[in-house]
Amino acid sequence: MIVARDYVFMCSEPGQEMIGKDIRDLGLNRVVVAACSPIMHESTFRRTCQKAGLNPYLIEIANIREQCSWVTENKQMATEKAKALLNAAVKRVYYHQPLETRKIPFNPNTLIVGGGIAGIRAALEIADSGHKVYLVERSPSIGGHMMQLDKTFPTLDCSACILTPKMTEAGNHPYIELMSYSEVVEASGYIGNFRIRIRKKARYVNGDRCNGCGLCQEKCPSKVDSEFEAGMGKRKAIYTPFPQAVPNIPVIDADHCTYFLKGTCRLCEEVCEAGAIDFGQEDEIVEVEAGSIILATGYSVFDPVAIHQYGYRRLDNVITSLEFERLVNSSGQTGGNIVLKDGSVPRSIAIIQCVGSRDRNYHDYCSRVCCMYALKYAHLIKEKTGAEVYQYYIDMRCFGKGYEEFYERIAGEGVSFIRGKVGEVTDRALNDEEKGRLVVVAEDTLLGSMIRVPVDMVILCTAMEPQQDAEAVARLFNISRSADGFFLERHPKLDPVATSSEGIFVAGCCQSPKDIPDTVAQASAAAARILSLISKGEVEIEAAIASIDEKLCSGCGICGSLCPYSAILLDEEKKFYKVNEALCKGCGTCVAACPVSAITGRHFTAEQIMAEIEGLLI
């Protein structure tokens, strides 16, 4: 050892300059830094070494903060442990070898999966810079859940009114290729060079001929529950989800079309003057190439049937929040009139928050939006019916810009806030006032007593939860999920849009529950990350990855089957396995699994690991 320095803020500019000066003046060939986690600052110190003329892989960091001082209460023991970690780093760095990174070209095209507000926003941000975007949406139209909402809190803007211009812009943008009614079936490749296979489902309507007149939908005799209306209305077997749909091309639901079920009808074909109906269409597989991917696949809504005591689908006039959105919407089945199942206007309505969220039986997490949209419902009910509103809450979480003011405004409109968890919604009456009505039984924690409140309607503020196919999508794109099932970001604070797979980003509620402003902000952040990659034109590949010795490889394939990044492939000609350096993350799984020790982890060789262990034990 030539020199040792003690400095509190070694990651600061003066600290880095100190290291660089010693490398230059003393001709150092190895550097050890005893500080915090290498996750935070390894790249910082590598750049310092490189700037001073030393290979960046000839540095080793001893983590004496997260792995030592923060987790060891006894100060003497912590000091001894820090000395051991430092000794291990010194022993290890002796065996470090200089490694070289390399750069590969970056395809400027971007694939975005999900056509809700997050996907639309990200697509427009990237396309406006003059770069190609493939926007894939599984539904017949883009728009997502936001299109189903009536108004948005706290400004009470019409949701469709502010979203429709963005949908139209995305649909007509010269740099956006909209692929609605389509799904990704295969994704391969790596950052800068992804290959994606997409299934374009048969619409049975020729989009080039269809003029959107709607006559086919008008004459279709088959009716089924509308997904867009959340079961509060019907649609035809040939349909567009809503009038502002983009693209405005109907699809034929083969599962309910009379022709596909019985071989008769074809009425839509008879009335279509443009000749756009094509029952011979089949699903089509197309392949696209992109340098980066954004997943904006959104969320599902918790099904409250599981909470039997709330009476959903068992008692009339117990509805979910999404159903209320369609009930109160002027384009909904009632024209925006809030009415009961029998058509009468309710005199009192209960709103129950945290249904399925903040509940250890279902979801521990907070959905973050229930408090605010429940306040919005209270306002709309008061405005349209003048009914009494009872809002049951655990805590009021009004954290966003203008949210607290919105709460104060609604509190002044005569809404009755009841702090407590609802135990039951029942139709069992105990007195004349409760006869023929729903009764909400709850504990008022402020009064410290059980209360019974008879109402005419109950709205359940249901939790946001991961999409039903989130696990399959995560496996398809080789990304991780957190314990609650949402897609896992690389770092919750410092990198909330990136994932464990380079070049794949997340935006919106597929990452965690969030409101519209946060969703839009995250989508813009993901777009900015991609634009920065595109502007560079190339990406740097990590040098600390696995390497296979061809002479030792037996071709057993164990490494390939275990690799979590699908980075090891069989060379069909030479019959041994090789590493795709762009995909490999250097996790070491293959190194540990290889039965003939044919794989070496660069920067994590056996010599380096054994030296580190020796340093710890001495």
Side-chain angles (χ1 to χ4, degrees):
M1 185 183 71
I2 303 298
V3 64
R5 304 284 188 194
D6 180 21
Y7 189 63
V8 177
F9 303 110
M10 195 59 80
C11 58
S12 66
E13 191 69 29
Q16 293 178 58
E17 180 56 34
M18 186 185 301
I19 295 173
K21 187 173 184 301
D22 282 343
I23 293 173
R24 290 189 296 271
D25 294 349
L26 303 176
L28 304 182
N29 58 13
R30 301 286 191 280
V31 174
V32 173
V33 176
C36 58
S37 166
I39 293 176
M40 294 294 295
H41 286 302
E42 187 173 52
S43 59
T44 302
F45 293 119
R46 280 184 178 178
R47 284 195 299 270
T48 301
C49 291
Q50 191 169 30
K51 190 176 177 182
L54 185 66
N55 186 281
Y57 289 88
L58 297 179
I59 187 173
E60 177 65 15
I61 295 180
N63 184 354
I64 60 171
R65 191 175 73 172
E66 286 88 345
Q67 295 178 353
C68 184
S69 63
W70 282 8
V71 293
T72 310
E73 294 183 358
N74 186 297
K75 291 185 177 180
Q76 183 59 37
M77 292 180 65
T79 301
E80 294 301 320
K81 184 177 179 181
K83 290 164 62 178
L85 289 170
L86 182 57
N87 192 45
V90 172
K91 293 281 187 183
R92 186 186 200 280
V93 78
Y94 175 80
Y95 292 99
H96 277 204
Q97 297 294 322
L99 300 175
E100 297 296 330
T101 59
R102 68 185 182 89
K103 296 181 178 179
I104 58 174
F106 189 90
N107 188 324
N109 298 341
T110 302
L111 172 78
I112 298 178
V113 184
I117 180 58
I120 292 172
R121 181 67 181 189
L124 289 174
E125 295 266 12
I126 296 170
D128 284 345
S129 68
H131 298 291
K132 175 90 174 183
V133 174
Y134 299 100
L135 179 56
V136 178
E137 165 59 44
R138 78 169 104 192
S139 303
S141 169
I142 58 174
H145 280 301
M146 185 175 171
M147 202 61 199
Q148 293 177 284
L149 307 182
D150 179 50
K151 288 182 167 52
T152 59
F153 58 78
T155 53
L156 298 178
D157 297 306
C158 167
S159 184
C161 298
I162 60 176
L163 179 59
T164 302
K166 297 297 180 186
M167 293 167 55
T168 305
E169 187 180 351
N172 296 322
H173 202 292
Y175 285 97
I176 296 178
E177 183 172 337
L178 180 57
M179 306 173 79
S180 62
Y181 211 45
S182 303
E183 289 183 311
V184 175
V185 295
E186 184 180 338
S188 60
Y190 46 86
I191 180 172
N193 296 277
F194 290 108
R195 287 186 176 181
I196 307 100
R197 289 166 59 83
I198 300 167
R199 175 182 290 113
K200 298 180 72 172
K201 291 181 281 189
R203 283 178 176 267
Y204 305 109
V205 176
N206 188 324
D208 295 331
R209 293 183 178 180
C210 178
N211 57 20
C213 68
L215 192 59
C216 54
Q217 301 177 56
E218 182 183 332
K219 298 298 182 182
C220 177
S222 301
K223 287 185 177 181
V224 296
D225 286 341
S226 167
E227 298 84 357
F228 180 76
E229 295 294 341
M232 301 293 282
K234 300 287 185 182
R235 65 164 172 81
K236 299 295 183 66
I238 180 170
Y239 70 102
T240 50
F242 44 90
Q244 308 95 322
V246 176
N248 188 26
I249 303 171
V251 298
I252 294 179
D253 180 355
D255 292 335
H256 296 93
C257 172
T258 304
Y259 171 72
F260 283 103
L261 294 175
K262 301 179 180 178
T264 58
C265 188
R266 302 181 78 127
L267 191 55
C268 53
E269 188 179 42
E270 293 177 16
V271 300
C272 182
E273 297 179 355
I277 306 299
D278 181 4
F279 286 105
Q281 273 191 6
E282 294 182 353
D283 291 357
E284 178 186 1
I285 299 293
V286 297
E287 185 171 307
V288 301
E289 295 182 352
S292 52
I293 297 171
I294 294 178
L295 299 180
T297 51
Y299 66 94
S300 289
V301 178
F302 174 75
D303 185 354
V305 168
I307 309 179
H308 181 74
Q309 62 270 28
Y310 284 176
Y312 182 66
R313 295 205 185 284
R314 185 166 56 82
L315 302 174
D316 288 341
N317 300 312
V318 177
I319 62 176
T320 66
S321 50
L322 193 55
E323 290 169 347
F324 182 78
E325 292 282 358
R326 298 313 305 159
L327 179 68
V328 75
N329 195 294
S330 58
S331 65
Q333 295 296 305
T334 64
N337 296 314
I338 301 173
V339 294
L340 302 174
K341 193 172 182 179
D342 62 5
S344 62
V345 178
R347 292 171 294 160
S348 58
I349 297 177
I351 304 173
I352 302 176
Q353 297 180 199
C354 301
V355 177
S357 59
R358 302 185 69 191
D359 187 332
R360 64 180 58 182
N361 295 313
Y362 305 100
H363 300 301
D364 288 333
Y365 57 80
C366 170
S367 280
R368 300 186 70 213
V369 294
C370 307
C371 293
M372 292 308 299
Y373 74 63
L375 290 171
K376 179 187 73 174
Y377 293 170
H379 169 79
L380 294 175
I381 293 166
K382 283 287 185 183
E383 182 183 67
K384 293 197 173 190
T385 67
E388 291 293 326
V389 178
Y390 302 93
Q391 189 162 331
Y392 293 82
Y393 69 100
I394 300 175
D395 298 300
M396 292 302 296
R397 297 183 170 180
C398 308
F399 55 87
K401 184 178 181 180
Y403 289 8
E404 184 66 21
E405 293 86 342
F406 188 67
Y407 166 68
E408 295 292 343
R409 172 185 171 184
I410 305 306
E413 294 181 356
V415 177
S416 299
F417 292 97
I418 300 173
R419 186 174 185 274
K421 188 79 172 176
V422 171
E424 183 185 18
V425 177
T426 179
D427 57 357
R428 293 189 297 273
L430 298 183
N431 52 52
D432 291 342
E433 185 188 7
E434 295 178 353
K435 285 183 179 176
R437 307 179 73 185
L438 299 168
V439 180
V440 180
V441 184
E443 179 189 12
D444 188 325
T445 56
L446 296 180
L447 296 176
S449 62
M450 296 297 295
I451 58 172
R452 295 172 62 90
V453 178
V455 296
D456 298 322
M457 176 184 286
V458 172
I459 303 171
L460 305 177
C461 298
T462 47
M464 289 181 175
E465 60 183 16
Q467 291 277 20
Q468 300 299 317
D469 61 349
E471 182 179 356
V473 173
R475 194 178 300 115
L476 181 65
F477 290 97
N478 204 18
I479 63 173
S480 303
R481 295 196 303 155
S482 49
D484 53 24
F486 292 99
F487 297 151
L488 182 64
E489 67 285 338
R490 181 175 296 170
H491 192 284
K493 300 179 184 67
L494 301 180
D495 207 352
V497 298
T499 66
S500 56
S501 291
E502 295 280 352
I504 300 180
F505 301 87
V506 289
C509 293
C510 64
Q511 184 249 343
S512 70
K514 54 178 65 71
D515 58 16
I516 294 171
D518 283 356
T519 296
V520 170
Q522 194 180 27
S524 295
R529 291 288 299 276
I530 288 175
L531 288 175
S532 71
L533 293 171
I534 294 174
S535 65
K536 291 179 182 175
E538 57 186 13
V539 289
E540 190 173 71
I541 301 301
E542 170 64 47
I545 56 175
S547 172
I548 298 179
D549 188 334
E550 301 176 9
K551 297 176 182 176
L552 296 178
C553 178
S554 63
C556 66
I558 294 176
C559 53
S561 64
L562 294 178
C563 179
Y565 302 100
S566 303
I568 300 179
L569 302 171
L570 177 65
D571 187 319
E572 296 287 353
E573 183 178 339
K574 298 181 180 179
K575 301 301 179 186
F576 65 78
Y577 281 81
K578 60 181 181 180
V579 176
N580 184 324
E581 296 185 355
L583 286 176
C584 180
K585 306 299 178 190
C587 67
T589 303
C590 56
V591 180
C594 181
V596 294
S597 301
I599 308 178
T600 301
R602 295 175 186 162
H603 206 55
F604 292 91
T605 64
E607 283 184 324
Q608 293 166 356
I609 300 298
M610 294 307 296
E612 190 171 13
I613 294 173
E614 182 184 350
L616 286 170
L617 297 177
I618 292 177

